[in-house]
Amino acid sequence: MSWSPCPDPILGDRDGVNAVETLIVPRAVDLGEMEVRRALPSTKRQMVGPFIFFDQMGPAEFLTDQGVDVRPHPHINLATLTYLFEGEILHRDSLGTQQTIRPGATNWMKAGQGIVHSERTSEGRKKNGQRLFGIQTWVALPEAQEESAPEFIHYGSGDLPVFDADGIKARIIAGEAFGSKSALRTASETLYGDVELQAGCQIPIDATYEERALYTISGEIEIAGDRFEKGQLLILRPGDAITVKANSTARFMIFGGAPMEGPRYIWWNFVSSRPERIEAAKEEWAKGRFDTVPGDEADFIPLPENQGKSRRATGRTTDP
């Protein structure tokens, strides 16, 4: 999905909550077709492991003849991970891919040296309307893979391992957790999972991965005596094993992994370890040098004029 400006909140954040290193409350922005909450990048934290962008899409209710309409736009030097709780999105890209994603499935799109894609609601789905709710993340690629060939891989809901017992249901999208390992082959050490807890149940979160975070989707959870409601990003302290308890039926995403080997720069839909690469990508898109999306060639998102300079994302520290 294309990155639209989403200012960081000023009020409502809280630091130093025992096992939680940083708490971020994303600001909701109405983009017209739906509400988006951006958790990363933030002034308090730019990356968690390889994750450099974390957006909650919706929940949004689309009536008849309405839907998502994200026109073709480019990406470089990153991979996108799309995951839905409700609804569906039709993905098309410059590799010729046409894939509908539904709840429980995931789309892994590695941009590498460059890819163009669109995300829309299909005409068939528009006839009846739909409710849409999901998460889209961007994962920075290691320097050695930034200019690799682009690729797209779809994993259906039945392709991802699920732990389901004792009031706990956890789908492992990437990496290994709760005794299960995902088949998704990421470019670097990555953890990503969807966890649902029944009221009163609890689940341990090991310190296996160097950087970890939780994003609360619904309900109320408790960590070390502190309670957190939906729509909050909790950065966990490195090396600390914790236990998450559900005070009500609750759902959260867990994500993280190994930090990147160096800082990343981000501008619009471009991420790279080299600011000059982003400048080159700007020129390539402005001059029409990216590949087009088969079946969606007639439309595109123009290069923004007022996006400002690329920002340096440095992981656990804030921009200078």
Side-chain angles (χ1 to χ4, degrees):
M1 185 167 288
S2 180
W3 179 8
S4 300
C6 186
D8 296 307
I10 297 174
L11 300 177
D13 289 2
R14 182 160 58 99
D15 291 334
V17 185
N18 296 326
V20 177
E21 181 180 83
T22 305
L23 188 150
I24 298 170
V25 180
R27 174 174 293 172
V29 174
D30 187 353
L31 299 183
E33 59 191 19
M34 76 173 116
E35 182 181 85
V36 170
R37 293 177 180 267
R38 179 153 304 135
L40 292 176
S42 163
T43 54
K44 288 194 168 186
R45 183 71 175 241
Q46 286 75 54
M47 300 178 69
V48 178
F51 289 84
I52 195 170
F53 179 95
F54 192 105
D55 258 11
Q56 174 185 320
M57 306 178 292
E61 191 77 38
F62 292 103
L63 303 178
T64 304
D65 296 326
Q66 295 180 340
V68 174
D69 191 22
V70 181
R71 296 170 290 164
H73 58 279
H75 291 286
I76 63 162
N77 294 184
L78 61 85
T80 65
L81 265 170
T82 304
Y83 186 80
L84 298 181
F85 307 119
E86 298 179 77
E88 64 178 45
I89 296 175
L90 175 61
H91 164 97
R92 290 180 176 143
D93 62 41
S94 50
L95 299 176
T97 308
Q98 180 169 313
Q99 176 67 57
T100 298
I101 182 172
R102 298 183 177 90
T106 193
N107 282 352
W108 165 267
M109 185 185 75
K110 186 180 77 172
Q113 62 192 6
I115 198 168
V116 179
H117 76 132
S118 64
E119 293 162 300
R120 303 184 189 268
T121 300
S122 67
E123 291 303 317
R125 191 72 172 187
K126 283 183 179 180
K127 291 180 181 179
N128 298 317
Q130 71 167 335
R131 182 176 165 87
L132 184 67
F133 187 18
I135 300 290
Q136 187 166 83
T137 62
W138 296 355
V139 178
L141 297 177
E143 289 184 24
Q145 295 194 42
E146 285 187 323
E147 297 298 327
S148 58
E151 66 178 22
F152 178 88
I153 301 175
H154 174 81
Y155 291 85
S157 59
D159 299 327
L160 300 172
V162 175
F163 172 84
D164 192 352
D166 301 322
I168 302 169
K169 184 177 182 180
R171 176 173 277 109
I172 312 305
I173 303 166
E176 187 172 359
F178 316 123
S180 299
K181 184 176 182 179
S182 172
L184 173 58
R185 303 178 71 177
T186 55
S188 63
E189 183 181 87
T190 304
L191 169 66
Y192 196 29
D194 171 17
V195 181
E196 298 178 73
L197 298 178
Q198 296 300 311
C201 294
Q202 57 186 27
I203 189 169
I205 306 294
D206 294 332
T208 307
Y209 293 86
E210 183 174 348
E211 296 187 355
R212 300 159 300 151
L214 305 182
Y215 184 81
T216 52
I217 301 298
S218 61
E220 181 185 86
I221 61 172
E222 183 176 320
I223 300 174
D226 290 285
R227 298 183 176 188
F228 304 95
E229 299 179 348
K230 66 179 181 179
Q232 297 180 323
L233 174 62
L234 317 178
I235 310 296
L236 304 181
R237 293 189 185 281
D240 286 358
I242 68 165
T243 296
V244 178
K245 177 184 176 182
N247 291 330
S248 63
T249 299
R251 190 172 196 171
F252 63 87
M253 307 299 290
I254 180 170
F255 66 98
M260 288 287 94
E261 70 275 41
R264 291 297 184 272
Y265 295 84
I266 182 169
W267 187 90
W268 190 38
N269 302 311
F270 303 139
V271 167
S272 182
S273 62
R274 297 165 292 144
E276 64 273 15
R277 178 65 180 95
I278 290 180
E279 293 303 312
K282 291 182 188 179
E283 182 178 1
E284 291 169 10
W285 183 247
K287 295 185 176 180
R289 294 175 183 166
F290 276 82
D291 292 336
T292 57
V293 178
D296 209 351
E297 303 95 339
D299 207 357
F300 67 95
I301 299 178
L303 192 74
E305 296 182 357
N306 300 312
Q307 190 74 21
K309 296 181 179 180
S310 60
R311 295 199 295 167
R312 185 170 181 261
T314 55
R316 299 190 64 209
T317 59
T318 55
D319 288 341

